[in-house]
Amino acid sequence: MTAVERIHQLREQLHRYNYAYYIEDKHLISDFEFDQLLKELQALEAQYPELYDPNSPSMRVGGSIIKNFQTVTHAERMYSLDNTYSPEELGDWLKRIEKINGAPITSFTCELKFDGASINMTYVNGELQKAVTRGDGSQGDDVTANVKTIQNVPLKLSGDFPPEFDIRGEIILPLAGFEALNKKRLAAGEEPYRNPRNTASGSLKLQDSSETARRPLECFFYALSGDLNYTTHWESLSKARSWGFTVPKSMEQLSTLEELLDYINRWGEQRASLPFEIDGVVIKVNSIEEQETLGFTAKSPRWAISYKYKAEQVSTRLNSVSYQVGRTGAITPVANLEPVQLSGTIVKRASLHNADQIEKLNLRLGDYVYVEKGGEIIPKIMGFDPARRGDLANVIHYITNCPDCDAPLQRIEGEAQHYCTNDAFCPTQLIGKIQHFVGRKAMDIDGIGAETIALLFHQGLVRNIADLYRLQKEQLLPLERMAEKSVDNLLAGIAASKAQPFHKVLFGLGIRHVGETVAKRLAQYFGSMDQLIQVNAEALLAVDDIGEKIVESLQVYFMLPENVQMIEDMTAFGLSFEAEKTIQSSTVFEGQIIVVSGVFAQKSRNELKQMIEDNGGKVGSSISSKTTFVLAGESMGPSKKDKANQLGIPMISETAFYEML
Ligand code: AMP
Ligand code: ZN
């Protein structure tokens, strides 16, 4: 067999194994063998780049880097769903639509409402061509490269699929995968992700698709669209399943309100033991003809409705309260609970937020408390069960001293949190500040995790972030688990971080209340650290989004000589404390009239208008046939959108606009 033939054979085999695994539930080969074949394919493909196939099974490993996702307009709008919360509301919905339909409706499909990120995929001649996020419903981002890495998304279909169609589904991150991911993040000193849903949608927007490939995402498909000749929703999804799409087996075809309620109750009970999160079920009118009669409201189809479950609650014993110290010294009380099963995970701890919250809940140690899981990873305590009260004498006395360094705690006027006042010496604060500095969103220093930092701190090698830049190879080599290679990596990472822009350094300093966005704002307005240190409160307050709390926190920070010294040291080490000039001028937009509409992520509308003028363009006030293009942000008004569409005026996204420059 020639290499070329082998490539084709491998591709076909791997597609087949995937189909067998995901659709037929048959394990034809082991994971190991599968990986071997995949590796063989990758090696051959590397030798024969001319045989490139955008839907080769090797695409699952990812590898492409996408800086800006292209905005794509959906052929058919991606709607929301109306919600119901009780059997009565569901009954009302049924009556309403039967009235519009003019006849009883006797066939429905019931599906689980997966809590993830919705996606619209286009298949042409049985190959995945495009995968686009829901976005604002009418336009989303092209995330095809990332979606191709999801194991159960078919890249090639089999059977009697139509030549062209769209299919919609929900991309989810199963609970086990979510927890594994967070464990890794915590070990690396990074903030854990909040919930599987946000993590799933964040995973689709990663720039490096091989990073997406490492996340155990899955896609469940729930609707076909396009000009297709099926008489029922059930039939179309059964077909889709036969072509290779994972249409969940939980989908059922039912007829009466009683049956619908029974489905809702059954899944309400099983919900907690599912390996992924659902937030309800979706009920859809089965007949496509009836769907057409019912049509849509402005927001959602009339022929479908979701039934949402209430957040799940359990009661368990409050054993004790412990206190965590953050990098800014903020103290967070944490309830230690008798471990209990809740929404598929075992809960042992719940946040109590602050002293006021404890007081408000009026808790005693030994109480049985109601715990609820909302969107957060750490569950919340909602109250106690009066029938199972702990000893009333067991009042929770809020600590007065830092659990780490024993310094007295302080509460700033108007803030709910207590703080450890020992900024300069509290080990947890000091280590936390360095961990924050090296984190992904700040200096993004590779090769240095949370444990390494703790080790360096306890060895007396670093006390603050400036010390990182003093580290020498000879100091590190004798340390445990520091092979030459990891030392080199660590030092290279630190050296490379000197190239990070000012706003990242500023955010990295970890000044209380100066988050990513505020740091960017400050860097942009004041241009340099020198300026920022010198300006008065009034000038600071004049900046958008900068309030009293931030100003006060900045003043406190710059008042401390050790902070000023540290900044001086870091300047000497070559870190940037000056923003790069962002004003660029050109004639790119010469002779063009551009209308700016909507809300933008990176710059304000006025800044964008300025950029247009700086680059030779004119800013138009309303859309007309003279408009060259509309710079369209989020939530641009529908009437403007219609107008632009009518006149055939292109709508350019914020990212595409920056690219034009
Ligand atoms: P909502 O965002 O609450 O208005 O609900 C609409 C969203 O539910 C859709 O955009 C889908 O992402 C999601 N969804 C999850 N499961 C299903 C399903 N089985 N059928 C339809 N939509 C679903
Ligand atoms: Zn302390």
Side-chain angles (χ1 to χ4, degrees):
M1 190 184 311
T2 65
V4 175
E5 282 165 349
R6 180 68 179 151
I7 290 182
H8 288 301
Q9 188 189 39
L10 282 168
R11 283 176 180 168
E12 207 229 314
Q13 261 181 354
L14 290 166
H15 281 309
R16 196 148 33 81
Y17 289 140
N18 236 47
Y19 185 90
Y21 185 82
Y22 286 106
I23 303 303
E24 300 172 333
D25 211 5
K26 284 194 211 136
H27 301 227
L28 298 183
I29 56 168
S30 69
D31 290 355
F32 176 76
E33 288 165 304
F34 190 94
D35 279 348
Q36 291 307 92
L37 294 178
L38 191 60
K39 284 205 180 105
E40 184 187 346
L41 175 61
Q42 281 180 285
L44 284 170
E45 286 181 342
Q47 281 175 40
Y48 294 88
E50 65 275 20
L51 295 182
Y52 174 79
D53 172 0
N55 286 311
S56 164
S58 59
M59 288 294 155
R60 305 238 188 253
V61 248
S64 51
I65 308 280
I66 295 179
K67 287 271 180 235
N68 293 302
F69 296 99
Q70 211 96 53
T71 307
V72 176
T73 304
H74 295 297
E76 281 179 44
R77 199 190 147 90
M78 291 182 82
Y79 284 89
S80 303
L81 288 170
D82 259 349
N83 297 320
T84 52
Y85 297 90
S86 67
E88 294 71 45
E89 283 182 358
L90 187 66
D92 291 346
W93 170 73
L94 193 52
K95 276 193 215 122
R96 233 174 22 244
I97 61 170
E98 287 191 329
K99 199 166 157 207
I100 302 175
N101 191 47
I105 296 173
T106 54
S107 180
F108 302 88
T109 65
C110 291
E111 302 161 27
L112 301 184
K113 189 166 189 294
F114 306 100
D115 208 4
S118 34
I119 192 88
N120 184 81
M121 302 189 201
T122 307
Y123 282 79
V124 177
N125 298 324
E127 298 201 14
L128 171 60
Q129 199 172 63
K130 213 170 232 155
V132 182
T133 61
R134 169 159 136 184
D136 64 0
S138 57
Q139 290 188 323
D141 290 319
D142 181 341
V143 291
T144 314
N146 285 340
V147 167
K148 281 184 184 174
T149 68
I150 301 173
Q151 295 293 332
N152 80 327
V153 169
L155 301 177
K156 283 198 186 185
L157 306 179
S158 37
D160 57 344
F161 50 81
E164 189 165 347
F165 65 93
D166 281 13
I167 189 162
R168 288 175 179 178
E170 194 83 355
I171 293 175
I172 58 122
L173 181 62
L175 288 163
F178 173 70
E179 272 155 27
L181 196 62
N182 266 346
K183 229 181 228 159
K184 267 198 224 146
R185 286 184 70 84
L186 284 168
E190 294 168 318
E191 285 274 307
Y193 291 120
R194 283 183 47 206
N195 58 42
R197 186 204 328 120
N198 291 356
T199 318
S201 53
S203 302
L204 296 181
K205 300 289 267 301
L206 293 170
Q207 295 188 342
D208 177 357
S209 62
S210 53
E211 183 72 27
T212 311
R214 280 194 281 275
R215 310 230 169 136
L217 301 165
E218 276 177 61
C219 186
F220 295 132
F221 294 89
Y222 54 72
L224 276 179
S225 75
D227 246 341
L228 307 169
N229 285 320
Y230 300 110
T231 47
T232 64
H233 178 64
W234 178 267
E235 182 193 356
S236 70
L237 284 184
S238 307
K239 276 290 181 189
R241 183 185 285 148
S242 75
W243 307 328
F245 294 103
T246 306
V247 174
K249 292 274 165 43
S250 48
M251 176 172 89
E252 287 182 41
Q253 200 169 204
L254 301 169
S255 337
T256 63
L257 181 59
E258 284 68 45
E259 285 175 354
L260 302 182
L261 291 172
D262 175 59
Y263 182 92
I264 290 168
N265 289 336
R266 264 187 285 136
W267 284 103
E269 281 162 23
Q270 287 178 60
R271 177 178 174 223
S273 44
L274 283 171
F276 45 78
E277 290 192 326
I278 61 170
D279 61 347
V281 306
V282 185
I283 295 155
K284 298 174 184 168
V285 171
N286 202 10
S287 147
I288 304 290
E289 202 184 319
E290 283 174 344
Q291 286 189 3
E292 280 163 7
T293 309
L294 293 168
F296 294 82
T297 67
K299 265 185 55 220
S300 45
R302 283 196 193 86
W303 44 263
I305 196 117
S306 73
Y307 186 99
K308 288 232 170 141
Y309 293 118
K310 291 202 192 70
E312 207 196 334
Q313 264 193 8
V314 287
S315 94
T316 189
R317 188 172 183 276
L318 170 62
N319 288 334
S320 62
V321 175
S322 49
Y323 300 84
Q324 289 177 343
V325 189
R327 65 177 164 80
T328 57
I331 306 289
T332 312
V334 178
N336 299 306
L337 305 167
E338 196 58 37
V340 63
Q341 183 88 22
L342 176 65
S343 310
T345 50
I346 292 181
V347 172
K348 297 183 199 136
R349 289 141 63 80
S351 172
L352 284 167
H353 303 289
N354 52 51
D356 291 349
Q357 180 72 5
I358 297 181
E359 193 143 319
K360 203 167 106 200
L361 290 167
N362 191 18
L363 301 177
R364 300 288 189 277
L365 294 179
D367 278 351
Y368 273 76
V369 291
Y370 293 114
V371 185
E372 189 176 300
K373 213 163 168 187
E376 316 288 323
I377 344 171
I378 301 200
K380 274 208 307 228
I381 293 186
M382 308 306 290
F384 59 84
D385 178 352
R388 299 175 83 183
R389 202 76 223 258
D391 187 342
L392 284 184
N394 275 340
V395 177
I396 299 165
H397 294 287
Y398 206 82
I399 49 168
T400 50
N401 293 69
C402 175
D404 187 30
C405 70
D406 206 37
L409 300 184
Q410 187 193 24
R411 191 168 174 175
I412 301 172
E413 271 286 308
E415 285 196 34
Q417 227 74 20
H418 282 76
Y419 286 92
C420 161
T421 48
N422 191 11
D423 286 23
F425 296 99
C426 179
T428 314
Q429 282 195 54
L430 294 176
I431 294 175
K433 284 195 170 80
I434 304 173
Q435 285 171 348
H436 165 77
F437 181 73
V438 306
R440 172 89 53 99
K441 287 182 173 168
M443 302 298 275
D444 194 14
I445 302 183
D446 277 341
I448 182 162
E451 284 156 38
T452 312
I453 291 172
L455 176 72
L456 296 176
F457 181 85
H458 292 301
Q459 293 290 327
L461 292 174
V462 294
R463 285 194 56 76
N464 67 26
I465 53 183
D467 291 339
L468 289 172
Y469 298 89
R470 293 192 175 92
L471 287 173
Q472 300 293 328
K473 193 164 173 177
E474 309 78 65
Q475 297 175 304
L476 299 171
L477 282 173
L479 301 181
E480 214 175 306
R481 271 189 281 135
M482 282 280 189
E484 174 140 17
K485 192 151 169 251
S486 31
V487 170
D488 286 342
N489 278 345
L490 190 155
L491 292 174
I494 293 174
S497 73
K498 292 182 185 175
Q500 290 288 14
F502 174 42
H503 67 89
K504 295 223 169 187
V505 183
L506 181 57
F507 171 61
L509 293 178
I511 303 172
R512 204 176 284 171
H513 305 308
V514 178
E516 249 183 311
T517 326
V518 170
K520 262 194 196 150
R521 266 293 139 75
L522 292 172
Q524 195 184 341
Y525 272 83
F526 298 104
S528 73
M529 197 60 163
D530 285 345
Q531 279 296 318
L532 189 59
I533 294 179
Q534 277 165 30
V535 291
N536 58 16
E538 215 179 331
L540 283 166
L541 285 170
V543 179
D544 244 8
D545 291 342
I546 309 289
E548 307 252 350
K549 267 211 256 177
I550 300 173
V551 173
E552 202 182 301
S553 162
L554 283 167
Q555 287 175 335
V556 169
Y557 188 89
F558 294 131
M559 227 157 55
L560 291 177
E562 57 265 34
N563 288 338
V564 176
Q565 183 62 48
M566 193 176 76
I567 291 168
E568 272 173 24
D569 290 350
M570 287 165 72
T571 314
F573 287 127
L575 279 94
S576 60
F577 283 98
E578 259 178 58
E580 278 162 39
K581 294 267 171 295
T582 48
I583 298 176
Q584 26 170 257
S585 53
S586 72
T587 51
V588 182
F589 299 135
E590 183 93 60
Q592 303 192 358
I593 300 176
I594 300 163
V595 173
V596 184
S597 176
V599 183
F600 299 87
Q602 298 185 34
K603 297 217 187 290
S604 71
R605 221 187 296 199
N606 282 338
E607 287 167 329
L608 289 166
K609 288 181 180 169
Q610 190 62 51
M611 281 170 83
I612 291 170
E613 285 170 359
D614 288 341
N615 291 286
K618 284 212 175 74
V619 178
S621 54
S622 65
I623 300 172
S624 74
S625 58
K626 296 215 175 65
T627 310
T628 316
F629 66 85
V630 181
L631 172 49
E634 291 280 319
S635 59
M636 168 175 166
S639 62
K640 283 194 178 163
K641 234 173 233 177
D642 287 347
K643 181 119 192 232
N645 280 331
Q646 256 171 34
L647 296 170
I649 293 174
M651 283 178 269
I652 304 287
S653 72
E654 186 179 3
T655 33
F657 175 78
Y658 297 137
E659 270 174 16
M660 294 169 114
L661 293 169

